[in-house]
């Protein structure tokens, strides 16, 4: 066997010089990146869910800290369901969130269609103004709206809070709708028109059903942002009872704090269940 044949056979067995080392390094880097991403994901999950898990556990304990452990009780839930002020504030916040998200949806869907499908002067400015409530600090938005309401003579309270949260929730409706319409297959609408459907029929039977997950995603997040808001409610809510204001007062004055962990637990469970149902029925997270 000649030297060249021996070299060729050896190359097939161990690879070309330098290639084996490169392949080994690539595998090591790939493995490190893969395990690193898993570690990062698990770290983020632990960072987000460990405090929530602690709240759930504390809602069933006799003391407000895990250690020393003093026993299990349902007395905290009894305190919650006998605290009419806190329950009324929760109902008020849920009602405000529903109305605000509904108003934002009624305004945001047509606005999303206008931005996505029409060219007009000031379109880019309008898009920027829609995003602005997301970028503006809550305290600045709260103070500016309070000043505006005083100038126009609108008293702080329910109506002012609904208006503030509707503006705050508008980007959560417009942005998913615009994103969905940007990849929308217009041939589906043209096909419906060719089959005899009018404009209203195309909108009702073709366009809205297809973009409905994006609308649902926007509504859910607009509702959540309204329900959990404190800063804007603090400025424009006036004497209106809101859950965040009520819980803040409980912490400041150390009154009725035993009902806070059960309330937080119920909110976490309700929100998680609602998101799970929404994801299973229509994959709303695809449009967030």
């Amino acid at each position: 066997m000649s030297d060249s044949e021996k070299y060729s056979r050896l190359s097939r067995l161990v690879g070309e010089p330098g290639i084996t080392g490169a392949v080994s390094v690539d595998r090591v880097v790939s493995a490190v990146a893969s395990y690193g991403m898993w570690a990062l994901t698990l770290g983020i999950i632990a960072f987000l869910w460990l405090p929530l898990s602690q709240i759930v556990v504390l809602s069933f304990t006799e003391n407000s800290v895990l250690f020393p452990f003093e026993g299990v009780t349902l007395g905290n839930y009894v305190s919650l369901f006998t605290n009419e002020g806190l329950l009324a504030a929760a109902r008020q916040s849920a009602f405000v969130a529903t109305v605000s998200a509904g108003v934002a949806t009624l305004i945001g869907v047509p606005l999303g269609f206008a931005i996505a499908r029409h060219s007009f002067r000031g379109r880019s400015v309008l898009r920027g103004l829609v995003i602005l409530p997301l970028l503006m600090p809550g305290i600045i938005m709260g103070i500016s709206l309070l000043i505006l309401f005083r100038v126009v003579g609108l008293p702080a309270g329910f109506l002012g809070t609904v208006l503030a949260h509707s503006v705050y929730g508008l980007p959560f409706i417009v942005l998913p709708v615009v994103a969905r319409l940007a990849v929308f297959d217009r041939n589906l609408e043209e096909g419906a028109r060719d089959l005899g459907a009018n404009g209203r029929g195309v909108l009702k039977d073709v366009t809205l059903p297809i973009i409905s997950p994006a609308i649902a995603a926007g509504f859910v997040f607009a509702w959540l942002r309204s329900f959990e808001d404190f800063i804007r409610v603090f400025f424009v809510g006036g004497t209106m009872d809101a859950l965040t204001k009520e819980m803040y007062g409980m912490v400041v004055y150390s009154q009725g704090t035993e009902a806070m962990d059960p309330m937080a637990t119920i909110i976490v469970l309700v929100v998680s269940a609602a998101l799970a149902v929404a994801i299973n029925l229509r994959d709303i997270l695809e449009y967030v």
Side-chain angles (χ1 to χ4, degrees):
M1 183 180 293
S2 64
D3 292 340
S4 61
E5 291 175 345
K6 292 179 180 179
Y7 177 77
S8 176
R9 183 178 180 184
L10 182 63
S11 299
R12 288 195 298 271
L13 291 175
V14 302
E16 293 293 334
I19 293 180
T20 304
V23 171
S24 300
V25 171
D26 288 342
R27 288 178 178 175
V28 171
V29 172
S30 177
V32 170
S34 177
Y35 286 114
M37 289 302 298
W38 273 106
L40 178 62
T41 301
L42 292 176
I44 293 174
I45 292 174
F47 179 78
L48 292 175
W49 283 99
L50 280 179
L52 296 178
S53 302
Q54 180 179 344
I55 289 176
V56 175
V57 173
L58 288 175
S59 69
F60 293 100
T61 59
E62 292 185 357
N63 52 333
S64 59
V65 293
L66 290 176
F67 302 103
F69 182 72
E70 297 182 0
V72 178
T73 180
L74 294 177
N76 296 330
Y77 285 88
V78 174
S79 299
L80 169 63
F81 291 111
T82 55
N83 191 330
E84 185 55 36
L86 189 60
L87 295 177
R91 290 192 295 267
Q92 182 78 299
S93 291
F95 182 64
V96 169
T98 303
V99 175
S100 301
V103 172
T105 302
L106 292 176
I107 299 174
V109 173
L111 193 58
F113 271 89
I115 293 174
R117 292 194 168 181
H118 299 281
S119 296
F120 52 89
R121 183 176 298 178
R123 177 186 175 190
S124 58
V125 175
L126 179 60
R127 185 192 296 266
L129 291 176
V130 168
I131 301 175
L132 188 60
L134 287 178
L135 306 177
M136 184 180 300
I139 189 170
I140 302 300
M141 186 175 179
I143 293 174
S144 61
L145 288 176
L146 177 61
I147 294 173
L148 174 63
F149 292 162
R150 287 181 175 178
V151 170
V152 300
L154 180 66
F158 174 80
L159 182 57
T161 305
V162 168
L163 292 176
H165 284 177
S166 298
V167 173
Y168 182 43
L170 196 61
F172 296 99
I173 304 294
V174 175
L175 295 181
V177 170
V178 170
R180 184 65 185 92
L181 290 175
V183 297
F184 189 90
D185 187 0
R186 300 293 296 273
N187 292 325
L188 297 175
E189 295 176 332
E190 294 298 329
R193 291 190 181 93
D194 291 340
L195 294 174
N198 56 20
R200 179 177 297 179
V202 170
L203 178 65
K204 183 182 70 173
D205 298 328
V206 178
T207 309
L208 287 181
I210 292 176
I211 70 170
S212 60
I215 299 174
F219 182 90
V220 168
F221 281 89
W223 192 96
L224 290 174
R225 294 283 73 80
S226 173
F227 185 79
E228 58 85 29
D229 181 57
F230 170 74
I231 298 178
R232 297 162 190 81
V233 175
F234 183 81
F235 285 101
V236 302
T239 58
M240 183 193 73
D241 292 330
L243 181 61
T244 51
K245 289 173 60 178
E246 189 74 16
M247 295 180 76
Y248 173 75
M250 293 167 64
V251 172
V252 171
Y253 299 106
S254 299
Q255 295 180 353
T257 54
E258 65 277 359
M260 290 183 59
D261 288 332
M263 174 60 76
T265 299
I266 291 174
I267 292 173
V268 170
L269 294 178
V270 170
V271 171
S272 300
L275 286 177
V277 171
I279 291 171
N280 287 326
L281 293 179
R282 305 295 293 269
D283 189 9
I284 66 170
L285 295 185
E286 180 183 352
Y287 304 99
V288 177

